[in-house]
Amino acid sequence: MLRVLSCLMILAAFAGTCFGDSSEIHIPDGPIASAMALVEGKHPFPAIKELESYTPEFSELSHYYYVFGHAQDAAGDLTKAASSYRFASLYATEAVLQETALLLAAETELNAGYRFEAKNICEIFLKRFPNSDMTDKVRILLGRSLAGIGRYRDAIRQFEMAGDAPRALFGKANTLQRMGMTSEATRAYSEAMAKNAEFPEHDDETRLWMGENLRLSGMSARAKNLLSKVKDPENLDYAVFGLAEIAAKVSKNDSVILRFEKLASSKNRKLGRIAALRAAELEASTGKLDEAAQRLEELIAKYPFTAEYDHAMLLLARIRVVTGDDAGAVSLLLRLVARQSSVRAKALDEMEHTLLAARAKGPEYVASIWDACGHWLMDPSRESSLVVIADELRGYASCEKLEQWLSRYGSNPVRTKYLERQVEHFAAAGDADGIRSSLQRLRNLNASGDILKRAEGSLKLAEKDYVGAEQALLSLERMDVKDIEMLGEILPSLKDPAKTIAALEEAVSSAGVSHKVLLRLADTHFEAGRKDKAIEYYRMAADEEPEDEWSCYRLFMLLGENEGGEYRKRIVKDKTLAQMADAVLKERNRNGK
């Protein structure tokens, strides 16, 4: 924010020593000379009255308007003075008066705040009098005029062409500081001070910008000394702002906030907006969130689509996050990212931060935030955060598009990871074409052997080629839980399941498997008549899942009433299984009789 001020501040007027030199201009005796004497005696109004009552000859017009310009200038009527100087130059026949009057016209327009007019007159001068001795003075005026309308690079060029006069050197340094180029400005000020160390004491513009340079360079005491000497009304509010920033470095108490609050009503509306924003920033940094939010809301309502409006919305969004209103924060951030706002990149960063912080409130909450703003964050530069969010949202519908995007636009390792996820999704839906497409993309990425074999196994399973699926899965160098699950799924469909059974039993003994796989093994052994194996895996399944009444039923059948009686007691919810168990018991009792 501090650097932003140096880039944005626009000085409205330039006080300075008059460049025009009338020592070589001879005013003929008579009423015009009398009027000039009145002006030099600091009596401009009588001089104006005398000139208005006099009708000059054509040959006197240049001197008449020249003196009239001086009188109007001294009386404070700068607009009329500039016009009179232009007429003086136009009617003049002697070169010195032509040049001096035109130079005075440019300077008077500049002092009146009409920078474009001053610029135009300076450019006319340089075209009309390219070899004038006053060229350097005109270039300095042109540089100041260009700086005043924001054409900083062109201004610096003019100052450099104007030579090494103190005003040219300090003009360049001031312009660099206005551009926010503090380091470059520091070097330029050093060069200028070597030429004339007293110049800042007599030039308000230089006091302001050199003070800003010192403040931003961390030399607060020297900055304060210069800024406190700024007197020109057009520069004063900026100096006060700089002094308030110096005070804020020491303390962020109410008195400092009040300084910025007072500046919020500055005649310079841009400076007023910046000051209001700074007051809100200080309030927020000291925990006065309600006060800061209110100030920011007012700023947003009054000054839409300004740079300060954008900064205010960003700060208000941060306050919303701190107060737990993530939805309100996202709403504000969306307004910033939906257009090319001055803080769009920062708004996207804040949106990303909000999403990552939302993980503390659970995936469902993250999903609601993602649905509101997630599509704005899908950019390769945010890959690491998107992977974290995708893993948080796994299993939620909100994650599907994100995973698809990562599988297409992520780095190669990320594409591979989410293409594997796509294979899983397609396999769950039985979508062979989807698996086939993802498998081809994995091949194009030169994915590792196990990744391809796993995808090939999913494709074979979707195509109901159970033997092919078995071969692909059993060829894996390292099986994970999902591979074991898939083998368990195809187990009932295999005519010769010996290899798969062996693989599953090895998984049971080494790392454990899911309850579903244990049931598959148990049922397969049961149907093949391998009673002991079936009992072993049904026991494991029943121990793994106490509410597994199917395993209890089968164990009761296999173990009988005495050994399996405890399992019969656990069949309480499934009435059909309970009736089947009772029927088995009756049949046994009948056969025993």
Side-chain angles (χ1 to χ4, degrees):
M1 185 63 211
L2 304 184
R3 186 175 178 86
V4 170
L5 176 66
S6 275
C7 297
L8 298 179
M9 286 166 62
I10 301 176
L11 208 55
F14 299 83
T17 304
C18 179
F19 284 127
D21 183 5
S22 61
S23 61
E24 298 182 15
I25 298 172
H26 175 67
I27 309 296
D29 292 335
I32 298 175
S34 298
M36 188 64 179
L38 287 170
V39 173
E40 290 172 345
K42 299 183 179 180
H43 301 293
F45 294 103
I48 292 172
K49 186 176 181 180
E50 184 167 335
L51 289 168
E52 286 176 339
S53 65
Y54 179 67
T55 303
E57 298 292 334
F58 183 82
S59 60
E60 298 177 305
L61 285 175
S62 59
H63 294 96
Y64 174 83
Y65 280 115
Y66 178 75
V67 175
F68 216 149
H70 275 292
Q72 290 162 332
D73 194 346
D77 195 342
L78 300 184
T79 302
K80 288 183 179 179
S83 178
S84 293
Y85 286 136
R86 282 196 295 272
F87 278 121
S89 180
L90 181 64
Y91 286 115
T93 56
E94 51 190 297
V96 65
L97 182 53
Q98 290 175 344
E99 295 174 16
T100 301
L102 196 57
L103 176 59
L104 285 170
E107 184 182 38
T108 306
E109 293 284 18
L110 183 59
N111 288 340
Y114 299 120
R115 302 174 191 83
F116 280 100
E117 289 79 355
K119 175 192 78 70
N120 292 338
I121 294 173
C122 288
E123 290 172 343
I124 290 170
F125 186 105
L126 293 173
K127 287 180 180 179
R128 286 182 61 191
F129 311 112
N131 300 316
S132 171
D133 292 338
M134 299 181 186
T135 296
D136 288 348
K137 295 177 181 179
V138 174
R139 290 197 182 281
I140 292 172
L141 274 176
L142 180 55
R144 293 171 65 192
S145 302
L146 290 166
I149 60 176
R151 289 174 54 181
Y152 300 125
R153 296 289 179 186
D154 292 336
I156 289 173
R157 180 172 173 270
Q158 293 299 324
F159 287 128
E160 289 175 341
M161 293 174 69
D164 63 352
R167 186 169 288 279
L169 296 176
F170 279 101
K172 176 183 175 180
N174 293 340
T175 304
L176 288 168
Q177 187 56 52
R178 293 176 69 159
M179 296 170 69
M181 301 174 66
T182 301
S183 298
E184 295 83 348
T186 298
R187 290 192 290 270
Y189 280 122
S190 178
E191 181 183 352
M193 290 291 283
K195 185 73 175 179
N196 187 340
E198 300 299 320
F199 187 88
E201 296 297 325
H202 309 291
D203 186 73
D204 217 53
E205 178 188 354
T206 299
R207 281 196 290 265
L208 172 64
W209 290 107
M210 190 172 179
E212 275 294 290
N213 176 266
L214 292 169
R215 178 177 71 80
L216 295 172
S217 300
M219 290 178 273
S220 298
R222 292 177 60 193
K224 187 174 181 179
N225 178 55
L226 278 177
L227 292 171
S228 62
K229 293 178 181 178
V230 173
K231 303 301 180 186
D232 190 299
E234 298 295 340
N235 300 343
L236 188 57
D237 280 354
Y238 289 117
V240 171
F241 186 97
L243 291 169
E245 289 288 10
I246 292 172
K249 287 281 187 181
V250 179
S251 171
K252 295 179 174 62
N253 58 31
D254 291 345
S255 65
V256 177
I257 295 172
L258 184 60
R259 290 194 188 190
F260 288 111
E261 189 174 350
K262 288 180 178 178
L263 280 171
S265 59
S266 170
K267 290 181 180 179
N268 187 306
R269 296 179 67 185
K270 185 166 188 65
L271 179 61
R273 296 195 298 269
I274 295 172
L277 184 59
R278 286 294 289 131
E281 288 175 343
L282 291 179
E283 286 171 331
S285 69
T286 54
K288 298 177 180 178
L289 299 182
D290 290 341
E291 293 89 335
Q294 182 178 347
R295 193 183 300 277
L296 293 168
E297 287 167 355
E298 290 174 358
L299 210 164
I300 290 168
K302 289 182 180 179
Y303 306 109
F305 307 115
T306 60
E308 295 72 41
Y309 167 90
D310 292 343
H311 283 281
M313 283 219 291
L314 181 63
L315 179 55
L316 185 57
R318 289 170 177 164
I319 291 173
R320 294 278 186 262
V321 171
V322 171
T323 57
D325 184 7
D326 290 337
V330 168
S331 176
L332 289 167
L333 295 171
L334 284 172
R335 291 162 63 183
L336 292 172
V337 302
R339 59 184 176 82
Q340 291 300 322
S341 68
S342 60
V343 294
R344 188 173 189 275
K346 290 182 179 179
L348 287 168
D349 290 343
E350 194 66 30
M351 197 178 282
E352 179 182 345
H353 170 76
T354 301
L355 262 169
L356 292 174
R359 289 179 299 154
K361 299 180 181 180
E364 187 172 348
Y365 186 79
V366 176
S368 67
I369 301 296
W370 174 262
D371 289 342
C373 67
H375 62 285
W376 290 104
L377 296 174
M378 288 195 281
D379 184 273
S381 65
R382 302 180 189 278
E383 179 183 282
S384 59
S385 292
L386 293 175
V387 168
V388 171
I389 293 167
D391 290 345
E392 182 74 19
L393 295 179
R394 192 171 187 185
Y396 285 80
S398 305
C399 190
E400 185 176 346
K401 287 185 179 180
L402 175 56
E403 289 187 343
Q404 289 175 357
W405 188 90
L406 287 167
S407 74
R408 290 186 177 278
Y409 303 108
S411 60
N412 280 1
V414 169
R415 288 186 190 184
T416 300
K417 174 180 177 177
Y418 288 98
L419 279 171
E420 286 188 90
R421 295 264 183 97
Q422 292 296 298
V423 168
E424 292 176 22
H425 293 321
F426 290 132
D431 184 350
D433 290 337
I435 298 172
R436 193 176 294 109
S437 174
S438 297
L439 175 58
Q440 184 57 52
R441 290 170 62 195
L442 283 167
R443 287 176 177 145
N444 294 340
L445 288 171
N446 297 318
S448 67
D450 271 7
I451 292 173
L452 294 178
K453 289 174 184 176
R454 193 169 288 117
E456 288 166 355
S458 297
L459 178 59
K460 295 295 184 183
L461 179 57
E463 293 173 337
K464 295 184 170 41
D465 180 358
Y466 302 114
V467 174
E470 179 190 40
Q471 290 173 346
L473 293 169
L474 291 178
S475 68
L476 290 170
E477 292 183 14
R478 184 175 180 277
M479 283 192 187
D480 62 21
V481 174
K482 294 185 183 65
D483 303 323
I484 296 167
E485 291 282 348
M486 200 182 304
L487 276 175
E489 188 175 346
I490 66 174
L491 181 59
S493 303
L494 296 171
K495 292 182 179 179
D496 182 9
K499 292 180 180 179
T500 293
I501 290 173
L504 292 176
E505 289 183 335
E506 182 180 352
V508 170
S509 62
S510 61
V513 296
S514 69
H515 174 261
K516 184 178 179 180
V517 171
L518 290 171
L519 276 180
R520 292 286 194 192
L521 275 171
D523 287 342
T524 300
H525 284 304
F526 180 86
E527 291 165 6
R530 294 186 285 271
K531 178 179 177 181
D532 291 342
K533 282 288 187 181
I535 290 172
E536 178 185 354
Y537 289 112
Y538 279 131
R539 283 186 189 276
M540 293 174 67
D543 291 342
E544 177 79 18
E545 179 54 68
E547 294 186 359
D548 174 15
E549 296 187 357
W550 172 255
S551 292
C552 292
Y553 167 71
R554 280 285 172 90
L555 285 168
F556 177 68
M557 287 181 61
L558 292 167
L559 295 172
E561 182 179 3
N562 291 332
E563 192 176 350
E566 288 300 317
Y567 290 106
R568 169 62 186 85
K569 293 176 182 178
R570 289 166 58 178
I571 305 173
V572 293
K573 292 183 178 180
D574 192 326
K575 300 304 180 184
T576 301
L577 285 179
Q579 291 173 359
M580 291 170 62
D582 291 342
V584 168
L585 180 59
K586 288 180 181 179
E587 183 65 24
R588 284 177 178 168
N589 289 337
R590 186 180 301 114
N591 290 337
K593 290 178 180 177

